[in-house]
């Protein structure tokens, strides 16, 4: 079994993956990995819809009857994500340019990245894309070989910040 993580915290991305928890199969970090991880974090924003509100710097535009585009930044990485919508206004697919090296050539550049949403589920009153498939070269003839991630969210518990403390002496 291969287990590990891709993370993006405090503008830094790191990949760590091990076989059977013992043999490292991937470890990468540095500016290129951080820029790529920022793009991935931006794509994952669909699973936290409030992150895409204009108050967080997201600028939206309609680019067709069934297409919208969101422009924003994750850290220093600019993103312009195009979403195709179904008749109910839910996201069917997304595509954007992501920094990466999908061919393992040793040379990073901007490449098409995206995928399809295959299911929705409502958890504690919040509906999110609960299933999908993502990868490099979405929307091109290389997409079948570029797909590398499929997901299914089966459980979600929302975490809320505590409200302000009541003044002393109040009930």
């Amino acid at each position: 079994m291969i287990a590990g993580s891709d993370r993006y915290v405090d503008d830094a991305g790191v990949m760590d993956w091990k076989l059977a928890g013992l043999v490292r199969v991937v470890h990468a970090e540095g500016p290129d990995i951080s820029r790529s991880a920022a793009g991935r974090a931006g794509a994952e924003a669909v699973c936290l819809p409030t992150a895409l509100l204009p108050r967080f710097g997201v600028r939206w535009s309609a680019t067709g009857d069934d297409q919208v585009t969101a422009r924003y930044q994750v850290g220093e990485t600019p993103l312009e994500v195009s979403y195709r919508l179904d008749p109910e206004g839910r996201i069917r697919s997304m595509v954007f340019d992501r920094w990466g090296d999908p061919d393992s050539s040793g040379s990073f550049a901007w490449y098409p990245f995206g995928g399809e949403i295959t299911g929705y589920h409502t958890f504690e009153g919040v509906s999110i894309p609960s299933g999908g498939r993502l990868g490099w070269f979405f929307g091109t003839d290389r997409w079948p070989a570029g797909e590398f991630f499929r997901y299914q969210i089966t459980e979600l518990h929302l975490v809320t910040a505590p409200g302000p403390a009541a003044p002393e002496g109040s009930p």
Side-chain angles (χ1 to χ4, degrees):
M1 171 194 350
I2 296 177
S5 65
D6 286 344
R7 63 185 176 273
Y8 179 76
V9 177
D10 296 329
D11 297 328
V14 178
M15 293 187 333
D16 275 311
W17 294 90
K18 292 182 179 182
L19 177 64
L22 302 171
V23 179
R24 178 177 279 162
V25 291
V26 174
H27 174 81
E29 58 186 297
D32 287 320
I33 300 302
S34 294
R35 184 182 284 177
S36 184
R40 189 197 72 250
E44 291 171 352
V46 298
C47 291
L48 181 62
T50 55
L52 295 171
L53 291 171
R55 73 179 189 183
F56 297 117
V58 180
R59 294 183 328 270
W60 287 93
S61 61
T63 52
D65 290 341
D66 67 344
Q67 190 169 347
V68 294
T69 299
R71 291 172 184 82
Y72 54 102
Q73 283 199 189
V74 175
E76 298 297 317
T77 303
L79 293 173
E80 184 172 311
V81 185
S82 294
Y83 300 98
R84 184 143 327 262
L85 308 175
D86 69 13
E88 290 80 37
R90 297 178 304 188
I91 298 169
R92 283 192 335 220
S93 65
M94 73 176 87
V95 66
F96 64 99
D97 287 337
R98 181 179 174 195
W99 189 254
D101 181 14
D103 296 320
S104 299
S105 67
S107 179
F108 280 73
W110 296 103
Y111 294 93
F113 187 90
E116 300 170 341
I117 304 300
T118 58
Y120 275 82
H121 192 82
T122 300
F123 300 96
E124 299 179 21
V126 177
S127 295
I128 63 166
S130 60
R133 52 195 213 128
L134 299 165
W136 296 103
F137 308 112
F138 184 72
T140 74
D141 61 350
R142 293 186 63 190
W143 162 241
E147 178 193 343
F148 68 90
F149 184 74
R150 291 184 182 203
Y151 73 95
Q152 183 78 34
I153 299 172
T154 58
E155 192 172 331
L156 175 71
H157 298 286
L158 301 175
V159 177
T160 58
E168 253 186 70
S170 63

